[in-house]
């Protein structure tokens, strides 16, 4: 018994002294193997001799050997920590970080002004209980024109400067096109839903136009459609006036609206809505061209032919619809006089909106 205990004393003194001299990770590992290695570790050997000992002896040697094992392990851990600390300190000293240098600026993104305005328009209607609907940008000739009361050869089709797809037709062999307005969403929605229908449909539209300060071949619209029993022009005027007040008014800015007769084949009567110029308070300015009024959107009561084409009985239901140009609104709201600025994505321009 005493020989094993003596051996443990020697082991303990040697191991704990040696631990303090370990200078790198290889030395740490060699040390661990030397004392705690599974097969030949010096302490492992003592521990594996335990079963050959008897009662008291086994307890005493076992206790001391395990305590030594713990002590070796913790000095290994301490040493490893000390070596890590020393390495980090020396790396830090070498790398000479200047904490007074300015950081790398992180660019903050923001929503594009057109996205913002489109969401603002949509939000006004969502708060009034309208749902948001969407339709595809590639449309059938039928949804974009025929069902919207533009029969083939109708002269109003020309006004749209349509992009037709070259080698693609729909499943009935009819031409496909890039939608020239968001109005085909009216048709799609009415075909798949029974009234009451209250929707807004934001989206991209395409027309074969030359680009200038007020035109682009891709632009954005928000369509609105309300179909129910007993819908009248009064509903249209009431909701669209409230919309204009919410979008452009507030904080002391008063917004008036006026409706002028207009023509779109899919509505009867057709009404163009103007709003009072909030830039000059109707004193007359460059934006309203001295008139005090700014054209805002096209609207009207849904034509019975359109209701019929979309599967709604015009004897039972009536509706009103509008279409508003997002770029126009954004230009007016932010006082931007060239639409191209919205597409160039110059960060100096976009930065004004975030
Ligand atoms: N679709 C028409 C356009 O793009 C706008 C509109 C929509 C007019 C709904 C009346 C009703 O010009």
């Amino acid at each position: 018994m005493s020989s094993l205990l003596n051996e443990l004393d020697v082991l303990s003194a040697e191991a704990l002294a040696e631990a303090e001299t370990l200078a790198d990770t290889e030395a740490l590992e060699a040390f661990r193997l030397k004392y705690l290695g599974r097969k030949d570790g010096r302490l492992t050997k003592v521990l594996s001799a335990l079963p050959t000992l008897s009662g008291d002896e086994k307890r005493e040697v076992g206790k001391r050997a395990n305590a030594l094992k713990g002590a070796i392990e913790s000095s290994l851990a301490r040493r490893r920590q000390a070596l890590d600390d020393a390495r980090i300190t020396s790396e830090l000293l070498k790398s000479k970080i200047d904490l007074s240098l300015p950081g790398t600026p992180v660019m903050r993104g923001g929503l594009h002004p057109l996205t913002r305005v489109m969401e603002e328009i949509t939000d006004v209607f969502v708060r009034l209980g309208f749902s948001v609907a969407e339709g595809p940008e590639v449309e059938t000739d039928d949804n974009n024109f025929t069902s919207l009361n533009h029969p083939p050869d109708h002269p109003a089709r020309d006004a749209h400067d349509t992009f037709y797809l070259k080698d693609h037709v729909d499943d009935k062999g009819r031409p496909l096109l890039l939608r020239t307005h968001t109005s085909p969403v009216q048709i799609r929605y009415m075909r798949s839903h029974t009234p009451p229908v209250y929707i807004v449909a934001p989206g991209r539209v395409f027309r074969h136009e030359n680009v200038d300060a007020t035109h682009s071949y891709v632009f954005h619209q928000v369509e609105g459609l309300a179909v129910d029993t007993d819908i009248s022009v009064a509903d249209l005027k009431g909701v669209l006036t409230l919309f204009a007040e919410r979008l452009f008014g507030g904080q002391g800015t008063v917004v008036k609206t006026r409706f002028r007769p207009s023509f779109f084949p899919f509505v009867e009567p057709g009404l163009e809505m103007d709003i009072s110029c909030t830039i000059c308070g109707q004193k007359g300015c460059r934006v309203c061209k001295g008139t005090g009024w700014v054209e805002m959107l096209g609207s009207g009561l849904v034509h019975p032919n359109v209701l019929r084409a979309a599967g709604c009985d015009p004897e039972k239901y009536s509706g009103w619809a509008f279409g508003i140009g997002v770029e126009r609104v954004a230009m007016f709201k932010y006082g931007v006089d060239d639409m191209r600025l919205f597409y160039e994505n110059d960060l100096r321009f976009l930065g004004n909106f975030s």
Side-chain angles (χ1 to χ4, degrees), residues 296-323:
M296 213 21 82
L297 54 81
S299 64
L301 292 191
V302 182
H303 196 290
N305 288 350
V306 174
L307 291 171
R308 221 172 280 121
C312 283
D313 180 0
E315 299 300 325
K316 194 167 164 199
Y317 298 112
S318 47
W320 58 267
F322 73 89

Side-chain angles (χ1 to χ4, degrees), residues 181 183 186 207 221 223 264 266-267 298-299 321-323:
H181 51 178
S183 300
Q186 293 186 29
R207 292 185 195 179
Q221 291 185 332
E223 190 81 8
F264 303 95
F266 37 93
V267 286
S299 64
F322 73 89

